Each structure stands twice: as C-alpha cells, then as structure tokens.
Amino acid sequence: MRLEELSLTNFKNIPSARLELSGKVNCFLGNNGMGKSNLLDAIYFLSFCKSFTGVTDRMAITRGEDFAILKGRYERKGVEEELLLGLTPGRRKSLKRGGKEYTRLSAHIGSFPLVMAAPQDVDLIRDSGEERRRWMDMVISQSDPVYLDSLIRYGKGLEQRNRLLREGCVDPGLYDAVETMMELSAEYLHEARAAWTRRLTALFSGHYAAVAGPGEVVELTYESHLNAPGSTLRALLNSARRHDEIVRHTSVGPHRDDIAMTLDGMPMRRTGSQGQCKTFTIALRLAQYDFLREATGMRPLLLLDDIFDKLDATRVARIMELVTSSPDFGQIFITDTNRKHLDEIMSRTGGDVRLWSVEEGSFTRQ
C-alpha cells in the first residue's frame, strides 16, 4: 500500500498543502513546531479517523477556521483509492472512500494499515495499563474486525454494569443479563490478546536485538484475570460483586488487562535508561508493523516522528539500515530537525527519496 498524494486544508497549523509522495522514503526537515508532526498526524487521521495525539476534532482545525479537509490518494492492492475526511465543529466527522460515505467509522479501521513511532511512545512503558490496553486494542482491531465488534460490545456491557453499581441495584436478574453479554465478548478478547502477545513477543525480541545488539533480554507478558486455567468472567464478576457494590465500579475483567514489559527480568518502567526505553518502543512499533503486514497482506505505512532523539549513532544507523534495506518495509515517512540524519538516510536509500523543508506549516520540496 502507498499514499501517492496528500492534500490538506485548515489542518492544525497547516493552512494548505499538497504533496506528491515517494513510494519509498519521504523526509520532512524543520525546527520544532513547524508542522512536521502535524503532517504525519493527518496521515494517521485518514487511517484511524482520529488524531494520534488524542486532541479533539475541534483542536485539529486551524484556529479561526470552521472546517478542515484531509484528502489522500492511495494505491492499495493494485487499485487506486481516495479518502476524503471532513471535520466541522459540532458535527459528526465525515469520511468518504471513493466518494461513498461510511455510515460507521469503525468499519474503516484496518483498511489502510499504519504504524506510527513517536516520542509519546514512552507512555507505553511509563504510563498505566490503560495506555497499553489502548495500544493492544488499536493493533488487533486493524487485523480483526470481530475483535473490534467484541470490544465495542464489551464496553457497552461494562458501561451498563457500572451504571447498575452506581445506582445501587441489587436485582440479580439485571446483572445476569448484562454479564451474559460481557462474558461472550470477554472470551474472544482474551483469546485474541493472548495469541497476539505471543506472536508480537517473537517479532519484538528480534527487532530489539537488531537495534540494541546482543546482551539484553526483553520480554512481554500478557496479564489478565482470565489467565488462570478454567476461569470465566462470570465467575470473576460473581466473586467480586460485593466489592464492586461498595466501590461502585467493575474491578475485574478485560478492561483491567495489562502487558508487563521487562528488560533482563526487571520492569522496564523502573530500570530502563532513556536510550533503552527509546529502543524498546521502536522495536515494539517495528514488531507491530510485521504483525500487521502478516495479518492484512499489505505493507502498512510507517511513520517515524523524531525517533532519533536520545539514541546513539550506532542505534540510529541500525534502525535505518533495517527499515530502508529490507523488502518487508514499504513506504516510510520520517521527520527530524537534523539535516545530517536525513542526508545519511537519503544516501543509504538511493534515488527513491523525497525531502521537504517545513516552516510555519508550509512544505517546500528540496
């Protein structure tokens, strides 16, 4: 899959831009705050219908304007495709594919796979389990629409159960109806997450070793209340009912799952240096890329936003050698403030590279 042309109007600090893109490597050079990351976020928006940074749709519209338009022309599985995303304050966002508007935006997820590595990725290590669950759900949903449907159904059931708890409901019949819906979805979520973690761990450890070199052992472990042999969500909810009635929220289930991340047997969040954490998260993203490539039969877009910060020259060289020389990787987008890094990438990759200078939301081809 390739993004051949990107057009933006009133997106963040980019008033207007139209870029014809390289099918291999696209580099964006500029100081911080000039719009490099916003361009990558626009590409992310077209795949996921939301911002990578988590800002609201209103904040994605240029200040003082009342709409934003994002348009992408793709080559996907040998077919030309066009996506058009419109944002208007106070209205549901509109996404059209080939001129036909989606009725459910969730139906779009996974059709145009994408992986983005950014400085915020350290949150996967440092933050709570909610951040890692969000990441896990986002990746699996791109390859499995049944998973996404199960996730939505479980979330609705969880919301209903928590409402019963907040209202002090003691009717077992009402709890039974809600928990039956939750249990059906929970079983699928648990099995999919466990299988995904096993596959990702195998891919991840190889990428980490390729970037960091030998001598460090990393591991991912899926943590879930449902991991115990024979456990079911219904049994867990029944045993926690009295506790949940007191605290007025559901304390067990897939919404509390987590992934333990370790380096040489120690928690990464406590022992990893800045460079090790950066290497860890980049290896996670590269493993995510491999997983999606295998699962979707397409090479996802790879967005690398300011990934060279806090990495030594050796690790930077290993990353770029990995993503630019392997046929497993397709179209790549790279941002940096350092011209030296981008020149090295361009010389290593060969002719299929394009470079833009970015200043105050304006893109100039070099």
Side-chain angles (χ1 to χ4, degrees), residues 257-278:
D257 287 356
D258 201 350
I259 298 177
M261 301 178 171
T262 60
L263 173 65
D264 295 331
M266 300 295 292
M268 192 70 191
R269 64 190 301 173
R270 296 178 184 172
T271 62
S273 67
Q274 287 186 327
Q276 287 172 323
C277 287
K278 189 80 176 224

Side-chain angles (χ1 to χ4, degrees), residues 23 26 51 69 128 155 171 226 239 263 279 285 311 347:
N26 299 274
S51 169
I69 296 176
S128 67
D171 184 345
L226 293 171
S239 64
L263 173 65
T279 304
R285 293 302 190 187
L311 288 178
S347 64

